[in-house]
Amino acid sequence: MAIPDRVPIAHVRGYRTSHIGHYAGGQFFGSVTATLEPGAGAEPDWRPHKRWYAVLHRFDPTGAHTGSQIWFAGTSEQERAAVKRAKAHLTEQIKALPDHRFGNIAIGLFHVEVDGHVFGLVDGSDLYDGHDHAEFLPDTLGFDPPWDGAYDT
């Protein structure tokens, strides 16, 4: 079984996929997420290297990526404030989507690069000994057969 053309993603209220659904133009995936520079987590002063973002990916009705808004909110030097800003920004972005409603989505693989980091749904099979696996980055949500929308973190 290969990665499907459209990977189902289940809406889970109050958890990592609580900000996904449909709107008048198609589908969306919103999240507040962070990146960390490679190796920085082992450093005593890692906080400036962890960057928080409000992310809103948009897709057409068939699940093809049409655009992304990726907004830098701050670093973990002031993590609570950065996360609060990111959540507020994401809320406003979603409110601006006409006729939005939360629910399950199905989207194709895609990626965009921001600040040297990949954001998107990518083929991660090479990291799983060739077993079919899609990974949503930088959120680290893993999708595997039977492709039912469930994910691992």
Side-chain angles (χ1 to χ4, degrees):
M1 178 182 285
I3 296 173
D5 290 339
R6 302 293 175 247
V7 175
I9 302 176
H11 174 256
V12 180
R13 189 172 171 212
Y15 198 50
R16 306 276 301 276
T17 56
S18 62
H19 293 94
I20 70 171
H22 296 261
Y23 73 107
Q27 304 177 71
F28 65 92
F29 186 114
S31 71
V32 170
T33 189
T35 62
L36 186 63
E37 295 302 319
E43 295 178 19
D45 190 24
W46 58 269
R47 285 176 178 79
H49 304 286
K50 187 171 183 181
R51 298 171 56 86
W52 288 93
Y53 297 88
V55 179
L56 183 65
H57 299 294
R58 292 174 318 284
F59 309 89
D60 71 15
T62 70
H65 182 248
T66 60
S68 296
Q69 294 169 280
I70 301 172
W71 183 78
F72 173 63
T75 69
S76 283
E77 289 174 296
Q78 304 209 334
E79 185 168 294
R80 273 194 267 196
V83 170
K84 184 177 179 178
R85 281 191 300 272
K87 285 180 178 179
H89 190 81
L90 178 60
T91 297
E92 292 305 312
Q93 288 178 299
I94 292 172
K95 281 183 183 178
L97 295 173
D99 300 324
H100 72 276
R101 62 200 176 285
F102 297 107
N104 300 341
I105 62 173
I107 59 173
L109 299 179
F110 75 100
H111 77 277
V112 295
E113 199 169 312
V114 174
D115 297 333
H117 295 276
V118 173
F119 290 74
L121 182 62
V122 301
D123 184 343
S125 303
D126 57 333
L127 300 174
Y128 285 78
D129 296 325
H131 296 279
D132 296 328
H133 178 82
E135 188 80 16
F136 207 95
L137 298 173
D139 302 76
T140 63
L141 302 178
F143 298 89
D144 302 287
W147 310 110
D148 59 1
Y151 56 87
D152 291 323
T153 57

